């Protein structure tokens, strides 16, 4: 299984580099990757394809791990970033950023309005997602921290945030409305190295935290009373795992939008392949998150050609039959 996944990972990465709207011969691709190639080929591969591939891999890892952590600590097989309100919080903050971020141009006495740089959008999305996660945690904390209360707070707050965001989009037109709609569908279109660099620190932090929280995660799958009987500081470890999952999800949503089904399906697929091996399924979640996003993005590019299909649409269409398959195979 490990060998097969390694081959699948390498093959998906190679296919994503080689195939696309622009037809580049294989020898030109090889030349570019070894430091040569024409200027056109270098631009397409190094400045267009590779940045979106790397961004997609990092986002896939973040979404997969966030879903795995949330499903483990809430003991809810349907938990994913949208269930915790993180995606909706990021959606609202991005909507507000694109519709309201104007200020008077400094150094002038006129009422010139200047829009803030679009490069700030990932940070705005992440800030909104983290803020939403923090609000949900505080509410659940005051009500008595428990898996079911965290989930219910996430559903309620997420619904409100999503309704406000949709209301703003519907009621207030903007020249950037297309950006909002594209972002809402989840897309790797026009992602650059800056998006990958934005995501990289959060992915690294999340991966470095796994050895620290992996043992508590195994115990957090049990009821609080049972977990405490093993000596686990339940509230502290629950809070750390929730914070890490919110960080991973918020950063990914901020960079590429709320790509649906990745945080939900990938952990289930990893558990299906790993069986009862908790730590193996955690590692498989990392690999599969990267592979699923890479392949779905490639499929959207090849099917849509110049008018590419957003990856969020592809993951939704492919995720439903995969989920039904897992439900039939899982006892």
């Amino acid at each position: 299984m490990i060998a097969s996944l390694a081959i699948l990972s390498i093959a998906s990465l190679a296919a994503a580099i080689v195939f696309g709207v622009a037809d580049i011969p294989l020898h030109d691709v090889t030349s570019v990757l070894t430091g040569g190639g024409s200027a056109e080929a270098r631009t397409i591969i190094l400045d267009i394809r590779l940045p979106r591939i790397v961004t997609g891999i990092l986002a896939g890892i973040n979404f997969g791990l966030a879903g795995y952590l949330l499903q483990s600590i809430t003991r809810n097989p349907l938990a994913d970033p949208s269930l915790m309100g993180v995606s909706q919080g990021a959606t609202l903050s991005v909507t507000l950023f694109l519709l309201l971020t104007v200020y008077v141009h400094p150094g002038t006495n006129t009422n010139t309005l200047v829009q803030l740089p679009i490069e700030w959008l990932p940070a705005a999305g992440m800030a909104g997602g983290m803020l939403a996660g923090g609000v949900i945690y505080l509410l659940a904390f005051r009500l008595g921290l428990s898996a079911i209360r965290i989930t219910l707070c996430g559903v309620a707050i997420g619904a409100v945030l999503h309704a406000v965001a949709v209301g703003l989009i519907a009621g207030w037109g903007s020249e950037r409305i297309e950006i909002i709609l594209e972002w809402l569908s989840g897309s790797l279109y026009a992602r650059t190295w800056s998006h990958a660099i934005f995501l990289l620190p959060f992915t690294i932090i999340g991966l470095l935290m796994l050895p620290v929280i992996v043992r508590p995660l195994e115990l957090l799958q049990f009821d609080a009373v049972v977990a405490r009987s093993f000596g686990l500081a339940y509230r502290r470890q629950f809070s750390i795992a929730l914070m890490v999952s919110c960080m991973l999800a918020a950063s990914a949503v901020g960079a590429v939008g709320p790509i649906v089904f990745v945080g939900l399906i990938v952990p289930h697929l990893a558990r299906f392949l790993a069986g009862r091996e908790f730590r193996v399924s955690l590692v498989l979640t990392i690999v599969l998150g990267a592979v699923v996003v890479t392949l779905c993005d490639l499929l959207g590019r090849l099917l849509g050609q110049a008018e590419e299909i957003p990856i969020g649409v592809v993951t939704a269409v492919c995720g439903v039959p995969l989920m039904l398959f897992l439900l039939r195979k899982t006892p």
Side-chain angles (χ1 to χ4, degrees):
M1 182 178 63
I2 294 175
S4 299
L5 285 175
I7 294 173
L8 178 62
S9 301
I10 296 172
S12 62
L13 177 61
I17 295 174
V18 173
F19 298 108
V21 177
D23 187 15
I24 302 177
L26 182 59
H27 63 84
D28 284 350
V29 175
T30 305
S31 297
V32 170
L33 296 178
T34 54
S38 64
E40 181 182 2
R42 289 179 63 84
T43 298
I44 293 173
I45 294 175
L46 299 181
D47 298 334
I48 298 177
R49 289 184 186 173
L50 273 179
R52 75 181 291 161
I53 292 170
V54 174
T55 301
I57 288 173
L58 296 175
I61 293 173
N62 287 14
F63 277 124
L65 280 179
Y68 193 99
L69 295 179
L70 290 174
Q71 290 172 15
S72 297
I73 65 177
T74 62
R75 303 188 296 279
N76 183 353
L78 296 178
D80 73 344
S82 63
L83 193 67
M84 298 304 299
V86 174
S87 296
Q88 294 89 335
T91 298
L92 179 58
S93 65
V94 165
T95 302
L96 290 172
F97 178 84
L98 292 175
L99 296 179
L100 299 176
T101 49
V102 294
Y103 60 92
V104 178
H105 194 287
T108 66
N109 295 322
T110 64
N111 292 325
T112 303
L113 295 179
V114 180
Q115 292 172 319
L116 294 179
I118 196 66
E119 291 79 11
W120 294 6
L121 188 145
M126 179 177 178
M130 288 295 291
L131 182 61
V135 170
I136 292 164
Y137 173 78
L138 289 176
L139 287 174
F141 183 82
R142 295 193 63 179
L143 295 173
L145 188 64
S146 68
I148 186 64
R149 283 175 174 168
I150 284 281
T151 303
L152 292 176
C153 285
V155 171
I157 298 298
V160 172
L161 295 176
H162 181 74
V164 173
V166 171
L168 286 174
I169 295 172
W172 187 6
S174 169
E175 63 181 7
R176 292 189 168 181
I177 195 70
E178 290 186 7
I179 299 177
I180 298 176
L181 295 178
E182 177 189 320
W183 186 89
L184 284 173
S185 65
S187 176
L188 290 173
Y189 176 75
R191 293 309 184 264
T192 63
W193 286 115
S194 63
H195 293 88
I197 294 172
F198 170 81
L199 275 175
L200 184 60
F202 303 107
T203 305
I204 292 176
I205 292 172
L207 294 176
L208 291 178
M209 285 295 296
L210 289 183
V212 178
I213 65 175
V214 63
R215 175 58 179 168
L217 270 179
E218 293 181 280
L219 297 177
L220 285 170
Q221 295 180 98
F222 299 104
D223 187 77
V225 176
V226 177
R228 288 192 179 100
S229 69
F230 285 97
L232 180 72
Y234 185 85
R235 176 166 291 181
R236 183 180 66 190
Q237 296 299 338
F238 189 104
S239 301
I240 292 173
L242 180 63
M243 178 185 67
V244 173
S245 64
C246 286
M247 177 198 68
L248 291 169
S251 59
V253 173
V256 301
I259 300 179
V260 298
F261 270 101
V262 176
L264 176 62
I265 293 294
V266 167
H268 285 288
L269 185 58
R271 293 190 191 97
F272 174 76
L273 294 175
R276 297 177 180 269
E277 296 293 335
F278 180 84
R279 301 188 183 208
V280 175
S281 65
L282 187 58
V283 174
L284 290 182
T285 298
I286 298 171
V287 178
L288 291 173
V291 171
V292 166
V293 171
T294 301
L295 291 179
C296 287
D297 180 54
L298 175 62
L299 185 60
R301 283 191 285 145
L302 295 179
L303 292 178
Q305 292 298 307
E307 300 294 332
E308 66 178 57
I309 302 173
I311 184 175
V313 176
V314 179
T315 56
V317 172
C318 297
V320 172
L322 181 57
M323 191 65 179
L324 293 175
F325 169 79
L326 293 175
L327 287 174
R328 292 191 61 184
K329 293 294 183 180
T330 303

